[in-house]
Amino acid sequence: MKPGFAALPEPPYYAVIFTSQRTPGDAGYSEAAERMLALAAQQPGYLGVESSRGADGLGITVSYWASLEAIATWRAQMEHAATRDQGRAQWYEHYELRVAKVERAYGWSRGEPEPRP
Amino acid sequence: MKPGFAALPEPPYYAVIFTSQRTPGDAGYSEAAERMLALAAQQPGYLGVESSRGADGLGITVSYWASLEAIATWRAQMEHAATRDQGRAQWYEHYELRVAKVERAYGWSRGEPEPRP
């Protein structure tokens, strides 16, 4: 899989779409974000993550999970919960989170004639 | 709603998660992207969009739709289809697209004590 893209199984699986507006400055954010990515990757049912943030501070991170149970377990993970508290205290102006069931997926890479299912 | 965030109804609704790696340079991309956002917003069943792209060229755009039928109609829209062809010819190195049903959503804004459902 290309850098930045999650290598995922065939659907169905679940996506957590996290859209956020960062506060100015780092204040420990980068280190914590890296730690959360590493910790998430160790959770049962974790499938992958894709993340981007623009110069305006608006970012979208989509994490992929095998089941709603896996998402609930990750949400209850204590260090993750503490980091979310810190996120509201320091790092975010606003966020929206949506949990969704992926029903269909396809992709394309340069050199391929058409999108592949 | 805050700038950059979609104002959405209560779930369920659908999300199209489009993760993409841009080729270097603009080559008409910005204008076409703006046109596609405006055109999408005119489609039946369109609910909103959120989009970010990092300095590395990796971007995530999530568009939100009332139904799978609305997504299919947008996919079949002729100017949109022609612009996708141009995207593969010029603007993208790689992309992955996932269609997902949003089942649960919540958010938070600075000043609120806890995330609101």
Side-chain angles (χ1 to χ4, degrees):
Chain A
M1 187 50 72
K2 311 278 174 175
F5 289 83
L8 298 174
E10 290 299 301
Y13 48 80
Y14 285 86
V16 177
I17 306 165
F18 180 74
T19 304
S20 64
Q21 179 66 52
R22 283 273 287 111
T23 49
D26 190 75
Y29 168 78
S30 300
E31 193 181 338
E34 203 171 311
R35 168 70 182 150
M36 284 304 105
L37 289 177
L39 195 60
Q42 294 169 21
Q43 302 304 302
Y46 170 88
L47 299 177
V49 70
E50 294 170 346
S51 192
S52 86
R53 189 172 303 278
D56 57 359
L58 187 79
I60 301 176
T61 296
V62 189
S63 60
Y64 296 96
W65 302 87
S67 66
L68 288 175
E69 188 193 8
I71 293 170
T73 302
W74 169 232
R75 186 173 159 78
Q77 205 279 349
M78 286 187 65
E79 185 180 343
H80 182 209
T83 302
R84 289 202 304 279
D85 288 345
Q86 208 177 345
R88 284 188 291 272
Q90 294 191 269
W91 301 321
Y92 296 117
E93 278 300 326
H94 182 80
Y95 63 70
E96 298 290 334
L97 186 148
R98 286 116 185 173
V99 178
K101 183 178 190 176
V102 177
E103 300 181 348
R104 203 164 75 237
Y106 61 86
W108 175 83
S109 278
R110 182 150 299 282
E112 295 174 358
E114 291 194 5
R116 59 185 151 67
Chain B
M1 187 49 71
K2 311 278 173 170
F5 289 84
L8 298 174
E10 289 301 299
Y13 49 80
Y14 285 86
V16 177
I17 305 164
F18 179 74
T19 304
S20 64
Q21 180 66 52
R22 282 273 287 111
T23 48
D26 190 76
Y29 168 78
S30 300
E31 193 181 338
E34 201 170 312
R35 168 69 183 151
M36 283 305 104
L37 289 177
L39 196 59
Q42 294 170 20
Q43 301 304 304
Y46 171 89
L47 298 177
V49 71
E50 293 170 346
S51 192
S52 85
R53 188 172 303 278
D56 57 359
L58 188 78
I60 300 176
T61 296
V62 188
S63 59
Y64 296 97
W65 302 87
S67 66
L68 289 175
E69 187 192 9
I71 294 170
T73 302
W74 170 230
R75 186 172 158 79
Q77 204 278 350
M78 285 185 65
E79 185 179 341
H80 181 209
T83 302
R84 289 202 306 277
D85 289 343
Q86 206 178 346
R88 283 188 293 271
Q90 295 189 268
W91 301 320
Y92 296 117
E93 278 299 325
H94 183 79
Y95 64 71
E96 298 289 335
L97 186 147
R98 286 117 185 173
V99 178
K101 184 177 189 177
V102 177
E103 298 180 348
R104 204 164 75 237
Y106 61 87
W108 175 83
S109 277
R110 184 151 296 284
E112 295 174 359
E114 291 193 6
R116 59 187 149 63

Coordinates of all heavy atoms in Angstrom, one line a residue, chain A residues 16-101:
Chain A
V16 N -14.0 5.4 11.9 CA -14.2 6.5 12.8 C -13.7 7.8 12.1 O -12.4 7.9 11.9 CB -13.6 6.3 14.2 CG1 -13.8 7.5 15.0 CG2 -14.2 5.1 14.8
I17 N -14.5 8.7 11.7 CA -14.1 9.9 11.0 C -14.0 11.0 12.0 O -15.0 11.4 12.6 CB -15.2 10.3 9.9 CG1 -15.4 9.1 9.0 CG2 -14.7 11.5 9.2 CD1 -16.7 9.3 8.1
F18 N -12.8 11.5 12.3 CA -12.6 12.5 13.3 C -12.1 13.8 12.6 O -11.0 13.8 12.1 CB -11.5 12.0 14.3 CG -11.2 13.0 15.4 CD1 -12.1 13.2 16.4 CD2 -10.0 13.7 15.4 CE1 -11.8 14.1 17.4 CE2 -9.7 14.6 16.4 CZ -10.5 14.8 17.4
T19 N -13.0 14.8 12.5 CA -12.6 16.1 11.9 C -12.4 17.1 13.0 O -13.2 17.2 13.9 CB -13.7 16.6 11.0 OG1 -14.1 15.6 10.0 CG2 -13.4 17.9 10.3
S20 N -11.2 17.8 13.0 CA -10.9 18.6 14.1 C -10.2 19.9 13.7 O -9.5 19.9 12.6 CB -9.9 17.9 15.0 OG -8.7 17.6 14.4
Q21 N -10.4 20.9 14.5 CA -9.7 22.2 14.3 C -8.7 22.4 15.4 O -9.2 22.4 16.6 CB -10.7 23.4 14.2 CG -10.1 24.7 14.1 CD -9.4 24.9 12.7 OE1 -10.0 24.7 11.7 NE2 -8.2 25.3 12.7
R22 N -7.4 22.4 15.1 CA -6.4 22.6 16.2 C -6.3 24.0 16.7 O -6.6 25.0 15.9 CB -5.1 22.2 15.6 CG -4.8 20.7 15.5 CD -4.3 20.1 16.7 NE -2.9 20.5 16.9 CZ -2.4 21.3 17.8 NH1 -3.2 21.9 18.7 NH2 -1.1 21.6 17.9
T23 N -6.0 24.1 18.0 CA -5.6 25.4 18.5 C -4.2 25.8 17.9 O -3.5 24.9 17.5 CB -5.5 25.4 20.0 OG1 -4.7 24.2 20.4 CG2 -6.9 25.2 20.6
P24 N -3.8 27.0 18.0 CA -2.4 27.4 17.5 C -1.3 26.8 18.4 O -1.6 26.6 19.6 CB -2.4 28.9 17.6 CG -3.8 29.4 17.6 CD -4.5 28.3 18.4
G25 N -0.2 26.5 17.8 CA 1.0 26.0 18.6 C 0.9 24.5 18.8 O -0.1 23.9 18.6
D26 N 2.0 23.9 19.3 CA 2.1 22.5 19.4 C 1.6 22.0 20.8 O 0.7 21.2 20.9 CB 3.5 21.9 19.1 CG 3.4 20.4 19.0 OD1 3.0 19.9 18.0 OD2 3.9 19.7 19.9
A27 N 2.3 22.5 21.8 CA 1.9 22.2 23.2 C 1.8 20.7 23.5 O 0.9 20.3 24.2 CB 0.6 22.9 23.6
G28 N 2.7 20.0 22.9 CA 2.8 18.5 23.2 C 1.9 17.7 22.3 O 1.8 16.5 22.4
Y29 N 1.2 18.4 21.4 CA 0.2 17.7 20.5 C 0.9 16.6 19.6 O 0.4 15.5 19.6 CB -0.5 18.7 19.7 CG -1.3 18.0 18.6 CD1 -2.5 17.4 18.8 CD2 -0.8 17.9 17.3 CE1 -3.2 16.7 17.9 CE2 -1.5 17.3 16.3 CZ -2.7 16.7 16.6 OH -3.5 16.0 15.6
S30 N 2.0 17.0 18.9 CA 2.6 16.1 18.0 C 3.0 14.8 18.6 O 2.7 13.7 18.1 CB 3.8 16.7 17.3 OG 3.4 17.9 16.6
E31 N 3.6 14.9 19.8 CA 4.1 13.7 20.5 C 2.9 12.8 20.9 O 2.9 11.6 20.8 CB 4.9 14.1 21.7 CG 5.7 13.0 22.4 CD 6.5 13.5 23.6 OE1 6.7 14.7 23.7 OE2 6.8 12.7 24.5
A32 N 1.9 13.5 21.4 CA 0.7 12.7 21.9 C 0.0 12.1 20.7 O -0.5 10.9 20.8 CB -0.3 13.7 22.6
A33 N -0.1 12.8 19.6 CA -0.7 12.2 18.4 C 0.0 10.9 17.9 O -0.6 9.9 17.6 CB -0.8 13.2 17.3
E34 N 1.3 11.0 17.9 CA 2.2 9.9 17.5 C 1.9 8.7 18.4 O 1.8 7.6 18.0 CB 3.6 10.3 17.5 CG 4.5 9.5 16.6 CD 5.9 10.2 16.5 OE1 6.0 11.4 16.2 OE2 6.9 9.4 16.7
R35 N 1.9 9.0 19.7 CA 1.7 8.0 20.7 C 0.3 7.3 20.6 O 0.2 6.1 20.7 CB 1.8 8.6 22.1 CG 1.4 7.8 23.3 CD 2.3 6.6 23.6 NE 1.7 5.8 24.7 CZ 1.9 4.5 24.8 NH1 2.7 3.8 23.9 NH2 1.4 3.8 25.8
M36 N -0.7 8.1 20.3 CA -2.0 7.6 20.1 C -2.1 6.7 18.9 O -2.7 5.6 18.9 CB -3.1 8.7 20.0 CG -3.4 9.4 21.3 SD -4.0 8.2 22.6 CE -2.6 8.1 23.7
L37 N -1.4 7.1 17.8 CA -1.4 6.2 16.6 C -0.8 4.9 16.9 O -1.2 3.8 16.5 CB -0.7 6.9 15.5 CG -1.4 8.1 14.8 CD1 -0.5 8.8 13.8 CD2 -2.7 7.7 14.2
A38 N 0.3 4.9 17.7 CA 1.1 3.7 18.0 C 0.2 2.8 18.9 O 0.1 1.6 18.8 CB 2.4 4.0 18.7
L39 N -0.5 3.5 19.9 CA -1.3 2.7 20.8 C -2.5 2.1 20.1 O -2.9 1.0 20.4 CB -1.7 3.7 22.0 CG -2.3 3.1 23.2 CD1 -1.3 2.2 23.9 CD2 -2.7 4.2 24.2
A40 N -3.2 2.9 19.3 CA -4.3 2.4 18.5 C -3.9 1.2 17.7 O -4.7 0.2 17.7 CB -4.9 3.5 17.6
A41 N -2.8 1.2 17.1 CA -2.3 0.1 16.3 C -2.2 -1.2 17.0 O -2.1 -2.3 16.4 CB -1.0 0.5 15.5
Q42 N -2.0 -1.1 18.4 CA -1.9 -2.3 19.2 C -3.3 -2.9 19.6 O -3.3 -3.9 20.3 CB -1.1 -2.0 20.5 CG 0.4 -1.6 20.2 CD 1.0 -1.0 21.4 OE1 0.6 -1.3 22.6 NE2 2.1 -0.3 21.3
Q43 N -4.3 -2.1 19.4 CA -5.6 -2.6 19.9 C -6.2 -3.7 19.1 O -6.0 -3.8 17.8 CB -6.6 -1.4 19.8 CG -6.2 -0.2 20.6 CD -6.0 -0.5 22.1 OE1 -6.8 -1.0 22.8 NE2 -4.7 -0.2 22.5
P44 N -7.0 -4.6 19.7 CA -7.6 -5.6 19.0 C -8.7 -5.0 18.0 O -9.4 -4.1 18.4 CB -8.3 -6.4 20.0 CG -8.4 -5.6 21.3 CD -7.2 -4.6 21.2
G45 N -8.7 -5.5 16.8 CA -9.6 -5.0 15.8 C -9.2 -3.8 15.0 O -10.0 -3.3 14.2
Y46 N -8.0 -3.3 15.3 CA -7.5 -2.1 14.6 C -7.1 -2.5 13.2 O -6.5 -3.5 13.0 CB -6.3 -1.5 15.3 CG -5.5 -0.5 14.5 CD1 -5.9 0.8 14.6 CD2 -4.4 -0.9 13.7 CE1 -5.1 1.8 13.9 CE2 -3.7 0.1 13.0 CZ -4.1 1.4 13.1 OH -3.4 2.4 12.4
L47 N -7.6 -1.8 12.2 CA -7.3 -2.1 10.8 C -6.3 -1.2 10.1 O -5.5 -1.5 9.2 CB -8.5 -2.2 10.0 CG -9.6 -3.3 10.4 CD1 -10.8 -3.2 9.5 CD2 -9.0 -4.7 10.4
G48 N -6.3 0.1 10.5 CA -5.5 1.1 9.9 C -6.0 2.5 10.1 O -7.0 2.7 10.7
V49 N -5.2 3.5 9.6 CA -5.6 4.9 9.8 C -5.1 5.7 8.6 O -4.1 5.4 8.0 CB -5.0 5.4 11.1 CG1 -3.5 5.6 11.1 CG2 -5.6 6.7 11.6
E50 N -5.8 6.8 8.3 CA -5.4 7.8 7.3 C -5.6 9.1 8.0 O -6.6 9.3 8.6 CB -6.2 7.6 6.0 CG -5.9 6.3 5.3 CD -6.8 6.0 4.2 OE1 -7.8 6.6 4.0 OE2 -6.4 5.0 3.4
S51 N -4.7 10.1 7.7 CA -4.8 11.3 8.5 C -4.2 12.4 7.6 O -3.2 12.3 7.0 CB -4.0 11.2 9.8 OG -4.3 12.3 10.6
S52 N -4.8 13.6 7.6 CA -4.2 14.8 7.0 C -4.6 16.0 7.7 O -5.7 16.0 8.4 CB -4.7 14.8 5.5 OG -5.9 15.5 5.4
R53 N -3.8 17.0 7.7 CA -4.1 18.3 8.3 C -3.6 19.4 7.5 O -2.4 19.4 7.0 CB -3.6 18.4 9.8 CG -4.1 19.7 10.5 CD -3.8 19.7 12.0 NE -4.2 18.5 12.7 CZ -5.5 18.4 13.1 NH1 -6.4 19.3 13.0 NH2 -5.8 17.3 13.8
G54 N -4.4 20.4 7.1 CA -4.0 21.5 6.3 C -3.3 22.6 7.1 O -3.4 22.6 8.3
A55 N -2.8 23.6 6.4 CA -2.1 24.7 7.0 C -3.1 25.5 7.9 O -2.6 26.3 8.8 CB -1.4 25.6 6.0
D56 N -4.3 25.4 7.6 CA -5.4 26.2 8.4 C -5.7 25.5 9.7 O -6.5 26.0 10.5 CB -6.6 26.4 7.5 CG -7.2 25.0 7.1 OD1 -6.6 24.0 7.4 OD2 -8.3 25.0 6.4
G57 N -5.1 24.3 10.0 CA -5.3 23.6 11.2 C -6.5 22.7 11.2 O -6.8 22.0 12.2
L58 N -7.2 22.6 10.1 CA -8.3 21.7 10.0 C -7.8 20.3 9.5 O -7.1 20.2 8.5 CB -9.4 22.2 9.0 CG -10.6 21.3 8.9 CD1 -11.6 21.7 10.1 CD2 -11.4 21.5 7.6
G59 N -8.1 19.3 10.3 CA -7.6 18.0 10.0 C -8.7 17.0 10.0 O -9.7 17.1 10.6
I60 N -8.4 15.9 9.2 CA -9.3 14.7 9.2 C -8.5 13.5 9.5 O -7.5 13.3 8.8 CB -10.1 14.6 7.9 CG1 -10.9 15.9 7.6 CG2 -11.0 13.4 7.9 CD1 -11.6 15.9 6.3
T61 N -8.9 12.7 10.5 CA -8.2 11.4 10.7 C -9.3 10.4 10.6 O -10.4 10.5 11.3 CB -7.6 11.4 12.1 OG1 -6.5 12.3 12.1 CG2 -7.0 10.0 12.4
V62 N -9.1 9.4 9.8 CA -10.1 8.3 9.7 C -9.4 7.0 10.2 O -8.4 6.6 9.6 CB -10.6 8.1 8.3 CG1 -11.7 7.0 8.3 CG2 -11.1 9.4 7.7
S63 N -9.9 6.4 11.3 CA -9.3 5.1 11.7 C -10.3 4.1 11.4 O -11.5 4.3 11.3 CB -9.0 5.2 13.2 OG -10.2 5.4 14.0
Y64 N -9.8 2.9 11.1 CA -10.6 1.8 10.6 C -10.5 0.6 11.5 O -9.4 0.3 12.1 CB -10.1 1.4 9.2 CG -10.3 2.4 8.2 CD1 -9.3 3.3 7.8 CD2 -11.5 2.6 7.5 CE1 -9.4 4.3 6.9 CE2 -11.7 3.7 6.6 CZ -10.7 4.5 6.3 OH -10.8 5.5 5.4
W65 N -11.7 0.0 11.8 CA -11.8 -1.0 12.8 C -12.7 -2.2 12.3 O -13.6 -2.0 11.5 CB -12.5 -0.4 14.1 CG -11.7 0.8 14.6 CD1 -11.8 2.1 14.2 CD2 -10.6 0.7 15.5 NE1 -10.9 2.8 14.8 CE2 -10.1 2.0 15.7 CE3 -10.1 -0.3 16.3 CZ2 -9.1 2.4 16.6 CZ3 -9.0 0.0 17.2 CH2 -8.6 1.4 17.3
A66 N -12.4 -3.4 12.9 CA -13.1 -4.6 12.5 C -14.6 -4.6 13.0 O -15.4 -5.3 12.4 CB -12.4 -5.8 13.0
S67 N -14.8 -3.9 14.1 CA -16.2 -4.0 14.7 C -16.5 -2.8 15.6 O -15.6 -2.1 16.0 CB -16.3 -5.3 15.6 OG -15.4 -5.2 16.7
L68 N -17.7 -2.6 15.9 CA -18.1 -1.6 16.9 C -17.5 -1.9 18.3 O -17.2 -1.0 19.0 CB -19.6 -1.5 17.0 CG -20.3 -0.9 15.8 CD1 -21.9 -1.0 15.9 CD2 -19.9 0.6 15.5
E69 N -17.4 -3.2 18.6 CA -16.8 -3.6 19.9 C -15.4 -3.1 19.9 O -14.9 -2.6 21.0 CB -16.9 -5.1 20.0 CG -16.5 -5.6 21.4 CD -16.3 -7.1 21.4 OE1 -16.3 -7.8 20.3 OE2 -16.1 -7.6 22.5
A70 N -14.6 -3.3 18.9 CA -13.2 -2.8 18.8 C -13.1 -1.3 19.1 O -12.3 -0.8 19.8 CB -12.6 -3.2 17.5
I71 N -14.1 -0.5 18.5 CA -14.1 0.9 18.7 C -14.4 1.3 20.1 O -13.8 2.1 20.7 CB -15.1 1.6 17.7 CG1 -14.7 1.4 16.3 CG2 -15.3 3.0 18.0 CD1 -15.7 1.8 15.2
A72 N -15.4 0.5 20.7 CA -15.7 0.8 22.1 C -14.6 0.5 23.1 O -14.3 1.2 24.0 CB -17.0 0.0 22.5
T73 N -13.8 -0.6 22.8 CA -12.7 -0.9 23.6 C -11.6 0.1 23.5 O -11.0 0.5 24.5 CB -12.1 -2.3 23.1 OG1 -13.2 -3.3 23.3 CG2 -11.0 -2.8 24.0
W74 N -11.4 0.6 22.3 CA -10.3 1.7 22.1 C -10.8 3.0 22.8 O -10.0 3.6 23.5 CB -10.1 1.9 20.6 CG -9.3 3.1 20.3 CD1 -9.7 4.1 19.4 CD2 -8.0 3.5 20.7 NE1 -8.7 5.0 19.3 CE2 -7.7 4.7 20.1 CE3 -7.1 2.9 21.7 CZ2 -6.4 5.3 20.3 CZ3 -5.9 3.6 21.9 CH2 -5.6 4.8 21.2
R75 N -12.1 3.3 22.7 CA -12.6 4.5 23.4 C -12.4 4.4 24.9 O -12.2 5.4 25.6 CB -14.1 4.6 23.0 CG -14.7 5.9 23.6 CD -16.1 6.0 23.0 NE -16.9 6.9 23.8 CZ -16.9 8.2 23.8 NH1 -16.0 8.8 23.0 NH2 -17.6 8.9 24.6
A76 N -12.5 3.2 25.5 CA -12.4 3.0 26.9 C -11.0 2.8 27.4 O -10.7 2.8 28.6 CB -13.2 1.7 27.3
Q77 N -10.0 2.7 26.5 CA -8.6 2.5 26.9 C -8.2 3.8 27.7 O -8.4 4.9 27.3 CB -7.8 2.4 25.6 CG -6.5 1.7 25.7 CD -5.4 2.5 26.3 OE1 -5.5 3.7 26.4 NE2 -4.3 1.9 26.7
M78 N -7.6 3.5 28.9 CA -7.4 4.6 29.8 C -6.5 5.7 29.4 O -6.8 6.9 29.5 CB -6.9 4.0 31.2 CG -8.1 3.3 31.9 SD -7.6 2.8 33.6 CE -7.3 4.4 34.3
E79 N -5.4 5.3 28.8 CA -4.5 6.4 28.3 C -5.1 7.2 27.2 O -4.9 8.4 27.1 CB -3.1 5.8 27.8 CG -2.1 6.8 27.4 CD -0.8 6.2 27.0 OE1 -0.5 5.0 27.2 OE2 0.0 7.0 26.3
H80 N -5.9 6.5 26.3 CA -6.6 7.2 25.3 C -7.6 8.2 25.8 O -7.7 9.3 25.4 CB -7.3 6.2 24.3 CG -8.0 6.8 23.2 ND1 -9.1 6.2 22.6 CD2 -7.8 7.9 22.5 CE1 -9.5 6.9 21.6 NE2 -8.8 8.0 21.5
A81 N -8.3 7.8 26.8 CA -9.3 8.7 27.5 C -8.7 9.9 28.1 O -9.2 11.0 28.0 CB -10.1 7.9 28.5
A82 N -7.5 9.7 28.8 CA -6.8 10.8 29.4 C -6.3 11.7 28.3 O -6.3 13.0 28.5 CB -5.6 10.2 30.2
T83 N -5.8 11.2 27.2 CA -5.3 12.1 26.1 C -6.5 12.8 25.5 O -6.3 14.0 25.1 CB -4.6 11.2 25.1 OG1 -3.5 10.5 25.7 CG2 -4.0 12.1 24.0
R84 N -7.7 12.2 25.4 CA -8.8 13.0 24.9 C -9.1 14.2 25.8 O -9.5 15.3 25.3 CB -10.0 12.1 24.7 CG -9.9 11.1 23.6 CD -11.3 10.6 23.1 NE -12.1 10.0 24.2 CZ -12.0 8.8 24.7 NH1 -11.1 8.0 24.2 NH2 -12.8 8.4 25.7
D85 N -9.1 14.0 27.1 CA -9.3 15.1 28.0 C -8.3 16.2 27.8 O -8.6 17.4 27.8 CB -9.1 14.6 29.5 CG -10.3 13.7 29.9 OD1 -11.3 13.7 29.2 OD2 -10.2 13.0 30.9
Q86 N -7.0 15.8 27.6 CA -6.0 16.8 27.3 C -6.3 17.5 26.0 O -6.0 18.7 25.8 CB -4.6 16.1 27.3 CG -3.5 17.0 27.6 CD -2.1 16.3 27.6 OE1 -2.1 15.0 27.6 NE2 -1.1 17.0 27.6
G87 N -6.8 16.8 25.0 CA -7.2 17.4 23.7 C -8.2 18.5 23.9 O -8.1 19.5 23.3
R88 N -9.2 18.2 24.7 CA -10.2 19.3 25.0 C -9.6 20.4 25.8 O -10.0 21.6 25.6 CB -11.4 18.7 25.6 CG -12.3 17.8 24.7 CD -13.6 17.4 25.3 NE -13.4 16.4 26.4 CZ -13.4 15.1 26.2 NH1 -13.5 14.6 25.0 NH2 -13.1 14.3 27.2
A89 N -8.7 20.1 26.7 CA -8.1 21.2 27.5 C -7.2 22.1 26.7 O -7.1 23.3 26.9 CB -7.4 20.6 28.6
Q90 N -6.5 21.5 25.7 CA -5.4 22.3 25.1 C -5.4 22.3 23.5 O -5.1 23.3 23.0 CB -4.1 21.6 25.5 CG -3.7 21.7 26.9 CD -2.3 21.3 27.1 OE1 -2.0 20.1 27.4 NE2 -1.4 22.2 27.0
W91 N -5.7 21.2 22.9 CA -5.3 21.1 21.5 C -6.4 21.3 20.5 O -6.1 21.6 19.3 CB -4.7 19.7 21.2 CG -3.5 19.3 22.1 CD1 -2.5 20.2 22.4 CD2 -3.2 18.1 22.7 NE1 -1.6 19.6 23.2 CE2 -2.0 18.3 23.4 CE3 -3.9 16.9 22.8 CZ2 -1.4 17.2 24.1 CZ3 -3.3 15.8 23.5 CH2 -2.1 16.0 24.2
Y92 N -7.6 21.3 20.9 CA -8.7 21.4 19.9 C -9.6 22.6 20.2 O -9.9 22.9 21.3 CB -9.6 20.1 19.8 CG -8.8 18.9 19.4 CD1 -8.6 17.8 20.2 CD2 -8.2 18.9 18.1 CE1 -7.9 16.7 19.7 CE2 -7.5 17.8 17.6 CZ -7.3 16.7 18.5 OH -6.6 15.6 18.1
E93 N -10.0 23.3 19.1 CA -11.0 24.3 19.2 C -12.4 23.6 19.0 O -13.4 24.1 19.6 CB -10.9 25.3 18.0 CG -9.8 26.4 18.3 CD -10.2 27.2 19.5 OE1 -11.4 27.5 19.8 OE2 -9.3 27.6 20.2
H94 N -12.4 22.6 18.2 CA -13.7 22.0 17.8 C -13.5 20.7 17.2 O -12.5 20.5 16.5 CB -14.4 23.0 16.8 CG -15.8 22.5 16.4 ND1 -16.9 22.7 17.2 CD2 -16.2 21.9 15.3 CE1 -17.9 22.2 16.6 NE2 -17.6 21.7 15.4
Y95 N -14.3 19.7 17.4 CA -14.2 18.5 16.6 C -15.6 17.9 16.4 O -16.5 18.1 17.2 CB -13.2 17.5 17.2 CG -13.5 17.0 18.6 CD1 -14.5 16.1 18.8 CD2 -12.7 17.3 19.7 CE1 -14.8 15.5 20.1 CE2 -13.0 16.8 20.9 CZ -14.0 15.9 21.1 OH -14.2 15.4 22.4
E96 N -15.6 17.0 15.4 CA -16.8 16.2 15.1 C -16.3 14.8 14.9 O -15.3 14.6 14.2 CB -17.6 16.7 13.9 CG -18.1 18.2 14.0 CD -19.3 18.3 15.0 OE1 -20.0 17.3 15.2 OE2 -19.5 19.4 15.6
L97 N -17.0 13.9 15.4 CA -16.7 12.5 15.3 C -17.9 11.7 14.8 O -19.0 11.8 15.3 CB -16.2 11.9 16.6 CG -15.6 10.5 16.6 CD1 -14.5 10.4 17.7 CD2 -16.7 9.5 16.9
R98 N -17.7 10.9 13.8 CA -18.7 10.0 13.2 C -18.3 8.6 13.1 O -17.2 8.4 12.6 CB -19.1 10.5 11.8 CG -19.9 11.8 11.8 CD -19.2 12.9 11.2 NE -19.9 14.2 11.3 CZ -19.4 15.4 10.8 NH1 -18.2 15.4 10.3 NH2 -20.0 16.5 11.0
V99 N -19.1 7.7 13.5 CA -18.8 6.3 13.4 C -19.7 5.7 12.3 O -20.9 5.9 12.3 CB -19.2 5.6 14.7 CG1 -18.9 4.1 14.6 CG2 -18.4 6.1 15.9
A100 N -19.0 5.1 11.3 CA -19.7 4.7 10.1 C -19.3 3.3 9.7 O -18.1 2.8 9.9 CB -19.4 5.6 9.0
K101 N -20.2 2.6 9.1 CA -19.9 1.2 8.6 C -19.6 1.3 7.1 O -20.4 1.7 6.3 CB -21.2 0.3 8.8 CG -21.0 -1.1 8.4 CD -22.2 -2.0 8.7 CE -21.9 -3.4 8.5 NZ -23.1 -4.3 8.8

